[in-house]
Amino acid sequence: MDKAIKKKTGVKKITQFEIIRHHVAGIDVSDNGGMVAAYPVSEKEVAVEEFGCYTRDLHDLTARLKSCQIESVAMESTGVYWIPLFLLLQEEGFEVFPVNARHVKNVTGRKDDGGDAEWLQKLHRYGLLTASF
């Protein structure tokens, strides 16, 4: 009856995963705008920027994403505020992943919208998110 208990081995940290998508952004959408996290052309440091909720702000955001050579966007919102941005991003040719907020909300270490956007961007980069819509 002397059985060895196997420990879980092979548990990877998120930085050890293979990068699936290189030109991605993460967006946390709220009623008054939101936060976007993206690598501006180089992949050395992620930039987190705030944007407003008006039409002009959304057009400025899509122009900024294009200037960063972003191809795919993961976005999270708990309300209906994501719909205009989703439609605009699709119209501009981005691959858009609206993510269910319940799937990513229980992750520790994220205390603000900027952290949420950065976390979404990182998960999307490693191919760990699925589109909910």
Side-chain angles (χ1 to χ4, degrees):
M1 295 233 149
D2 187 13
K3 293 184 178 180
I5 298 173
K6 289 186 176 181
K7 291 185 179 182
K8 286 187 178 182
T9 58
V11 176
K12 292 185 175 183
K13 294 181 181 179
I14 194 158
T15 55
Q16 295 173 324
F17 285 104
E18 179 183 349
I19 295 173
I20 304 297
R21 295 179 177 91
H22 289 276
H23 303 285
V24 300
I27 302 176
D28 184 35
V29 183
S30 66
D31 60 342
N32 59 353
M35 301 295 280
V36 60
Y39 286 105
V41 183
S42 73
E43 296 188 15
K44 297 195 187 238
E45 187 175 326
V46 67
V48 179
E49 299 176 40
E50 189 171 3
F51 65 94
C53 61
Y54 297 105
T55 304
R56 180 76 242 155
D57 300 323
L58 300 182
H59 283 284
D60 290 345
L61 170 63
T62 58
R64 175 72 173 130
L65 292 175
K66 283 184 177 183
S67 73
C68 292
Q69 301 173 356
I70 299 300
E71 298 169 355
S72 183
V73 176
M75 58 190 300
E76 169 191 31
S77 179
T78 53
V80 297
Y81 311 109
W82 61 274
I83 297 171
L85 180 58
F86 173 81
L87 294 173
L88 180 61
L89 289 169
Q90 273 196 327
E91 185 179 298
E92 293 292 330
F94 292 98
E95 177 185 36
V96 187
F97 280 68
V99 178
N100 189 335
R102 292 181 191 174
H103 295 168
V104 292
K105 75 174 186 176
N106 292 326
V107 179
T108 59
R110 300 175 310 124
K111 303 294 183 204
D112 59 3
D113 292 338
D116 286 346
E118 192 172 347
W119 183 246
L120 283 170
Q121 188 267 347
K122 189 177 285 190
L123 292 175
H124 190 46
R125 190 170 192 222
Y126 294 115
L128 298 175
L129 295 177
T130 56
S132 293
F133 177 71

